[in-house]
Amino acid sequence: MAAPGAVGRRFFRCACFCSENLFLPRYRLHVRYLEEQQLRRDYGSILQHRGCVSPEDFEQVLAELEKEVQRRKQLVQQASERKATIAECYLPVHPQVYSLQEGFLAPEFLTVVQYCVDPSANLAGLLQRIHILSGQKMIYRVPIFTQEFCRMLLQELEHFEQSDMPKGRPNTMNNHGVLLHELGLDELLVTPLREQYLQPLTALLYPECGGGRLDSHRAFVVKYSMDEDRDLSYHYDNAEVTLNVSLNRNFSEGNLYFGDFRQVSSNEMQYLEVPHMMGQGVLHRGGQLHGALPLESGERWNLIIWMRASSVRNSLCPMCRKPPQLVEDEGFGDGFTQEEGQPGTVDVCTLT
């Protein structure tokens, strides 16, 4: 059930990775950053409105952005080095979780997948078998993992977190968690989950988003706690389809909330609030604006899979909304592939 042509393909990222969608936590703002005058012109007013009022405040913003740009430029090499170190030195506590087994999956999920792979399956039949959180917003809840697997995976993640192994940030907005490809949980756990089990659902749920042609992903686990990240600002994902699975239940609040799709504006925003349920996943379009409300107690761990379709994003990068400028990357990159007639790659080191 793998997407056609996925095996052995080279994947890239867009050069905008070093300039678009940079997050300023203090001001809860995503910005495009090329140079100082552009930043002042495009965001000066909103930054001032949110508290960036002194020259020192603005200098701090510039320093944060320059640091993030440099981190992103060095990301490929650093990620490769971390992955090699972990593979050589880290001793797992639950080696079995590194390879997907059908026993890890909730029986209800297997029943849904069995329906979806039947040639006569259709969207109406699928919607009778899953929980519709919002038909209008196309947000659904599906049992994914057994609670026993969630416990084993969480123990593995906590063991890794407490080790002295090098660790990368899950993304710009989340400071605490685990990148699954660095830990070795990607190839034999997440890839078959996407190809063999999730894609039959997404093909019916999200055909216009490339749901039947998902050929790559980025998977990570995020951790929220009272003294680390407590919430998540409003944003959309670098994905065609996102799966968010709750791995534990010893926390309170921190619910997801969903607004409009990124291309839709509304004067009367209606938010949909969604509680977390251990082992169950929330499926939504990557462009669906969403966030997480503040945690009030405990720790919350969630597995996030950004699923991507190169046939969709090759024509338009979802982050800069332009045809992608391809940059060499490792693994699945950001899900872009080089098609016949498409311009060659650019050198990220020459970009500002």
Side-chain angles (χ1 to χ4, degrees):
M1 301 176 198
V7 178
R9 299 173 70 187
R10 292 182 62 202
F11 290 86
F12 302 83
R13 58 184 167 92
C14 179
C16 76
F17 179 72
C18 291
S19 60
E20 300 286 339
N21 215 41
L22 279 68
F23 185 60
L24 295 169
R26 179 179 172 185
Y27 304 103
R28 306 184 77 81
L29 181 67
H30 286 90
V31 301
R32 179 173 184 253
Y33 175 59
L34 299 174
E35 45 85 25
E36 179 178 346
Q37 291 307 310
Q38 168 266 323
L39 186 73
R40 289 185 182 275
R41 182 180 64 250
D42 294 345
Y43 302 99
S45 296
I46 189 170
L47 281 169
Q48 187 173 28
H49 179 72
R50 297 191 182 189
C52 182
V53 295
S54 70
E56 291 77 16
D57 289 337
F58 196 82
E59 287 299 321
Q60 183 179 5
V61 166
L62 290 175
E64 289 178 10
L65 291 174
E66 289 289 350
K67 182 179 179 180
E68 175 62 14
V69 169
Q70 291 306 313
R71 184 191 74 84
R72 293 188 180 199
K73 288 183 176 181
Q74 299 168 6
L75 193 62
V76 174
Q77 179 181 351
Q78 292 175 346
S80 180
E81 292 173 353
R82 286 194 299 266
K83 185 176 181 180
T85 299
I86 293 166
E88 180 179 356
C89 304
Y90 177 68
L91 185 63
V93 67
H94 287 301
Q96 64 269 39
V97 304
Y98 286 74
S99 181
L100 184 64
Q101 302 174 32
E102 199 160 272
F104 295 163
L105 303 175
E108 304 94 322
F109 179 49
L110 295 174
T111 299
V112 171
V113 174
Q114 186 176 17
Y115 169 79
C116 291
V117 299
D118 189 292
S120 64
N122 56 50
L123 176 60
L126 174 56
L127 294 181
Q128 293 176 5
R129 292 165 166 82
I130 63 177
H131 185 190
I132 304 171
L133 293 169
S134 172
Q136 180 183 12
K137 298 178 187 295
M138 303 171 68
I139 305 171
Y140 311 99
R141 190 194 298 281
V142 186
I144 302 292
F145 298 124
T146 66
Q147 295 195 5
E148 177 58 26
F149 173 73
C150 290
R151 283 190 285 269
M152 284 195 300
L153 180 59
L154 186 56
Q155 288 173 1
E156 184 64 47
L157 295 169
E158 290 174 332
H159 181 257
F160 175 72
E161 182 191 43
Q162 293 162 10
S163 74
D164 58 0
M165 293 292 101
K167 302 169 183 70
R169 289 173 57 187
N171 54 60
T172 302
M173 301 178 71
N174 293 103
N175 295 300
H176 304 279
V178 179
L179 291 162
L180 297 195
H181 75 279
E182 292 186 4
L183 186 52
L185 285 162
D186 216 6
E187 183 176 356
L188 297 180
L189 179 70
V190 181
T191 296
L193 177 65
R194 168 176 55 83
E195 293 179 343
Q196 300 173 32
Y197 297 95
L198 292 171
Q199 188 159 262
L201 279 72
T202 58
L204 293 175
L205 293 172
Y206 306 107
E208 76 290 344
C209 297
R213 295 164 286 156
L214 301 172
D215 52 4
S216 71
H217 62 263
R218 177 178 174 83
F220 50 93
V221 171
V222 292
K223 175 192 174 187
Y224 297 85
S225 66
M226 298 305 294
D227 55 355
E228 295 175 341
D229 294 332
R230 290 189 60 191
D231 59 8
L232 187 63
S233 295
Y234 204 45
H235 69 285
Y236 61 86
D237 297 336
N238 187 356
E240 275 62 71
V241 181
T242 293
L243 175 69
N244 183 328
V245 185
S246 180
L247 297 178
N248 68 317
R249 58 161 57 100
N250 58 327
F251 59 88
S252 62
E253 299 303 325
N255 289 348
L256 298 173
Y257 64 95
F258 292 89
D260 285 338
F261 196 73
R262 65 174 167 227
Q263 295 173 318
V264 177
S265 59
S266 172
N267 293 326
E268 296 182 2
M269 182 73 70
Q270 295 294 317
Y271 290 106
L272 170 70
E273 190 170 329
V274 176
H276 302 275
M277 300 177 68
M278 182 176 175
Q280 301 205 16
V282 176
L283 278 166
H284 62 86
R285 295 171 294 176
Q288 192 75 47
L289 286 161
H290 62 285
L293 296 171
L295 194 72
E296 290 194 357
S297 66
E299 292 184 353
R300 178 167 71 81
W301 294 74
N302 286 64
L303 167 63
I304 314 295
I305 306 177
W306 288 350
M307 295 179 280
R308 292 150 169 180
S310 61
S311 60
V312 173
R313 60 183 40 226
N314 281 352
S315 59
L316 191 70
C317 171
M319 305 313 288
C320 64
R321 310 302 295 168
K322 298 176 182 177
Q325 296 184 65
L326 301 183
V327 175
E328 296 281 354
D329 209 339
E330 66 170 18
F332 287 131
D334 269 345
F336 301 97
T337 57
Q338 190 164 24
E339 299 179 337
E340 187 174 351
Q342 193 173 1
T345 60
V346 298
D347 183 358
V348 67
C349 296
T350 66
L351 301 172
T352 57

